[in-house]
C-alpha cells in the first residue's frame, strides 16, 4: 500500500509569487495528501494569495522560528510520511520528490536533502561568503554528531510517522539548528538515515542572516551533541544536564498562542 505524504512549508515574510508557484509545483509533482504552510507573522496579501493553492494555511502572529513551525506542522499531520521544504523553493520540486521517495518506499526512516553531496547536480551557487560559512558548519557538525553527512541544513527532509513518534520527544531547538538536532537524534536512536543529492537554487533575498545564523548553528550543534549523548546515557552528558536549567521540548511549546 502506498504511504500517504504530508508536506509542511515553514514561511516567514516569503516572496508571495515564489511561494505560490512552489506550493503548486509540490502539489503537481508529489500529489501529497496535505500541504500545510506554517506562516509566521502573516501579511494579509500572503494569506489571500495562498487561498487559491492546494495548501492549508496555519498562522502564528509572531516569528516562531523554523524548528518550532515545522514541529507544529508535523504534529498537525496525520499522514504516514512527514516532509518539509523551505518556502523559497531553493530545492526544486523534482529534487524534493527524490528526498521523500526513500521514506515512502521504506528504505529510510529519515531522508536528508544534500546540496554538498558529490552527486548533487550543479544549481545556482550561493555567494562566496555564505558558501564558506555553510562549509565550516558542515565540517564542524561532521566531527561532533552522528551520522556523518555532507549537508545537515538543506531545507528538504522527510521522516516516517514511526520515526517522528520517537524523535519528537527529544527536539528542543526552535530555530535553524532544528535540522542538525533532528539528524543527531535520529542517529542516536539508531534510525536509518539516508542523504539524498539535490539540486539547489540559492535565493539572494533570503531573510536569513549568514553570520548570526552561523553562530546560532554552532551553538545548536553543541546542544545536539549533548542531547544525543543523553540518549546514549553518557555519564558526562548526564552530569552536564544535571547542572543545566530545564528546557521545554518543542512539542510542549508549539501552540499558536505561545511566543
Amino acid at each position: 500500500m502506498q504511504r500517504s505524504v504530508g508536506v509542511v512549508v515553514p514561511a516567514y515574510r516569503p516572496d508571495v509569487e515564489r511561494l505560490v508557484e512552489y506550493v503548486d509545483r509540490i502539489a503537481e509533482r508529489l500529489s501529497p495528501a496535505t500541504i500545510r504552510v506554517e506562516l509566521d507573522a502573516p501579511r494579509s496579501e500572503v494569506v489571500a494569495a495562498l487561498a487559491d493553492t492546494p495548501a492549508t494555511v496555519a498562522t502564528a502572529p509572531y516569528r516562531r522560528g523554523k524548528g518550532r513551525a515545522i514541529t507544529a506542522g508535523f504534529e498537525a499531520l496525520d499522514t504516514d510520511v512527514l516532509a518539509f521544504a523551505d518556502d523559497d523553493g531553493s530545492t526544486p520540486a523534482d529534487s524534493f520528490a527524490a528526498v521523500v521517495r526513500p521514506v515512502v518506499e521504506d528504505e529510510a526512516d529519515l531522508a536528508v536533502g544534500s546540496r554538498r553531496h558529490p552527486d548533487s547536480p550543479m544549481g545556482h551557487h550561493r555567494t562566496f561568503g555564505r558558501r564558506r560559512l555553510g562549509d565550516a558548519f558542515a565540517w564542524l557538525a561532521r566531527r561532533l554528531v552522528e551520522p556523518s553527512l555532507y549537508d545537515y541544513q538543506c531545507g528538504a527532509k522527510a521522516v516516517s510517522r514511526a520515526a517522528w513518534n520517537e524523535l519528537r520527544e527529544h527536539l528542543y531547538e526552535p530555530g535553524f539548528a532544528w535540522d542538525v538536532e533532528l539528524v543527531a537524534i535520529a542517529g542516536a536512536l539508531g534510525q536509518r538515515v539516508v542523504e539524498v543529492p539535490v539540486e539547489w537554487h540559492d535565493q539572494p533575498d533570503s531573510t536569513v542572516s549568514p553570520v548570526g545564523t552561523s553562530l546560532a548553528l554552532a551553538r545548536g550543534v553543541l546542544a545536539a551533541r549533548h542531547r544525543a549523548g543523553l540518549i546514549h546515557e553518557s555519564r558526562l552528558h548526564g552530569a552536564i544536564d544535571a547542572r543545566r536549567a530545564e528546557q521545554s521540548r518543542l512539542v510542549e511549546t508549539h501552540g499558536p498562542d505561545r511566543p
Side-chain angles (χ1 to χ4, degrees), residues 5-12 19 22-23 26-27 30 32-40 50 54-59 64-79 81-89 91 96 100 154-159 161 164 178-179 254:
V5 176
V7 175
V8 170
V9 182
Y12 171 69
L19 176 57
Y22 193 44
V23 167
I26 289 173
L30 278 77
T34 305
I35 301 176
R36 183 181 176 92
V37 176
E38 289 285 343
L39 185 60
D40 286 359
L50 288 169
T56 298
V57 180
T59 63
R64 292 171 291 180
K66 176 182 176 179
R68 186 170 283 128
I70 296 172
T71 298
F74 279 8
E75 289 290 285
L77 296 177
D78 60 2
T79 51
V81 176
L82 318 174
F84 84 87
D86 285 350
D87 69 300
D88 59 8
T91 306
F96 182 47
V100 175
C154 176
K157 292 180 175 65
V159 62
R161 165 67 59 184
W164 174 251
W178 183 90
D179 291 78
H254 73 266

Side-chain angles (χ1 to χ4, degrees), residues 17-226:
E17 292 184 5
R18 186 185 298 153
L19 176 57
V20 168
E21 180 181 358
Y22 193 44
V23 167
D24 287 339
R25 287 287 296 125
I26 289 173
E28 177 185 341
R29 181 63 180 80
L30 278 77
S31 299
T34 305
I35 301 176
R36 183 181 176 92
V37 176
E38 289 285 343
L39 185 60
D40 286 359
R43 295 174 298 188
S44 57
E45 64 268 25
V46 180
V47 177
L50 288 169
D52 295 326
T53 71
T56 298
V57 180
T59 63
Y62 51 88
R63 188 175 188 179
R64 292 171 291 180
K66 176 182 176 179
R68 186 170 283 128
I70 296 172
T71 298
F74 279 8
E75 289 290 285
L77 296 177
D78 60 2
T79 51
D80 302 317
V81 176
L82 318 174
F84 84 87
D86 285 350
D87 69 300
D88 59 8
S90 295
T91 306
D94 285 346
S95 284
F96 182 47
V99 173
V100 175
R101 184 198 61 78
V103 182
V104 170
E105 297 184 3
D106 197 25
E107 296 173 358
D109 300 310
L110 173 65
V112 179
S114 178
R115 304 157 293 186
R116 294 183 170 82
H117 194 283
D119 295 332
S120 296
M122 299 294 288
H124 300 301
H125 291 295
R126 293 170 293 167
T127 63
F128 179 82
R130 291 181 68 185
R131 185 167 69 250
R132 288 304 184 201
L133 286 170
D135 290 344
F137 171 76
W139 180 90
L140 176 67
R142 278 194 297 273
R143 281 151 182 78
L144 292 180
V145 301
E146 292 289 342
S148 179
L149 305 178
Y150 292 100
D151 191 353
Y152 296 83
Q153 293 302 121
C154 176
K157 292 180 175 65
V159 62
S160 71
R161 165 67 59 184
W164 174 251
N165 287 341
E166 282 191 289
L167 289 162
R168 62 190 292 277
E169 299 293 329
H170 301 280
L171 300 176
Y172 293 80
E173 294 295 329
F176 290 102
W178 183 90
D179 291 78
V180 69
E181 182 180 50
L182 181 76
V183 173
I185 297 302
L189 292 171
Q191 295 181 356
R192 299 170 298 164
V193 180
V194 299
E195 190 169 16
V196 181
V198 299
E199 185 175 355
W200 180 261
H201 293 253
D202 192 55
Q203 305 299 344
D205 56 347
S206 170
T207 59
V208 178
S209 167
V211 176
T213 300
S214 296
L215 293 174
L217 287 175
R219 292 191 295 269
V221 75
L222 293 173
R225 176 183 173 89
H226 169 65

